[in-house]
Amino acid sequence: MTPTASTTALVLRPAADAEFWAVARLFAALHEVNAGFDPLFRLAETWEALLYEHFRQTHHAPGACWLLAWRGDEPVGLLLLEAHTDSPLFAARRWAELVALYVVPDQRGSDLGRRMIAVGTQWAAAQGFDRIQLYVTAANTHAKHFYARCGFAPVQEIWRIALTPAPGVIPPPDPSCETNGHAAHQIELGHHHLAMELSASPNVEPPDA
């Protein structure tokens, strides 16, 4: 059971079955911000149906924490933590991944984000995880300063070089993501855990808001 916490005029609680609309609204806002820092992080056209299927399958699971912050009937914060299992090549291959954290603009500068992180760290420790890890866009200095104040520290960087692809060539699929009956030998299995699960999910339509 995910812990429940509250702030002045705000309530933090696990997302209920019928509250995917709130999750989707805040998830979309988060990725609009992310795409503003880096257009390659924009969501796919089918993102909402894919996220709904993932929500439907996992939001009651012990390895997932879908937390919403409410101001009355208005959702103002989203935190998603999930169990992550990395490649069997590594000894320390399990951690809690902070997949999403978003606070609406008029709550930034308050302590809502820190309170949501506190609930998330309490949840992760109670599930037996020894750490939480996350991705943050390099240009998002506000987010990096926030996470540093919450006790996070950088341990790895992702570097990129832009290329001019060969015209008319479609990149081949990632062999680590193919369904070939050899999951135990897929040495990259688990990287970008949520993204990989969503890419493999069936096209299920989300309910109307």
Side-chain angles (χ1 to χ4, degrees):
M1 180 72 178
T2 305
T4 300
S6 63
T7 64
T8 304
L10 300 176
V11 175
L12 276 63
R13 55 178 170 77
D17 292 0
E19 292 173 346
F20 174 75
W21 65 271
V23 169
R25 177 191 296 182
L26 298 172
F27 191 85
L30 167 63
H31 285 277
E32 183 177 354
V33 172
N34 289 341
F37 288 109
D38 187 335
L40 294 181
F41 294 149
R42 66 190 184 278
L43 294 172
E45 290 184 2
T46 57
W47 73 267
E48 190 169 358
L50 294 170
L51 183 65
Y52 171 66
E53 175 62 11
H54 187 74
F55 175 81
R56 188 184 67 81
Q57 292 182 6
T58 67
H59 81 286
H60 286 306
C65 174
W66 296 79
L67 184 72
L68 287 170
W70 295 88
R71 179 173 53 202
D73 295 330
E74 178 191 9
V76 295
L78 167 69
L79 179 139
L80 170 57
L81 280 164
E82 290 197 331
H84 179 105
T85 303
D86 208 347
S87 164
L89 287 174
F90 300 102
R93 56 192 292 251
R94 293 184 173 86
W95 63 83
E97 182 164 338
L98 202 168
V99 179
L101 174 64
Y102 181 76
V103 171
V104 297
D106 68 11
Q107 286 296 316
R108 293 170 197 168
S110 72
D111 64 351
L112 177 58
R114 291 179 66 97
R115 287 177 178 267
M116 296 187 79
I117 289 290
V119 174
T121 55
Q122 179 186 353
W123 172 84
Q127 303 306 310
F129 294 108
D130 64 1
R131 66 198 187 277
I132 296 173
Q133 298 185 175
L134 61 92
Y135 292 92
V136 62
T137 308
N140 193 345
T141 56
H142 176 81
K144 289 192 287 187
H145 290 158
F146 167 78
Y147 287 122
R149 292 194 301 271
C150 291
F152 291 83
V155 295
Q156 189 178 40
E157 296 178 334
I158 297 175
W159 288 30
R160 178 193 297 163
I161 183 172
L163 306 175
T164 302
V169 177
I170 299 174
D174 180 350
S176 298
C177 299
E178 291 182 332
T179 304
N180 54 20
H182 299 287
H185 303 293
Q186 294 175 357
I187 62 173
E188 292 182 294
L189 189 64
H191 187 62
H192 282 285
H193 175 68
L194 176 62
M196 289 180 63
E197 285 199 3
L198 292 183
S199 70
S201 297
N203 187 15
V204 177
E205 292 295 327
D208 294 334

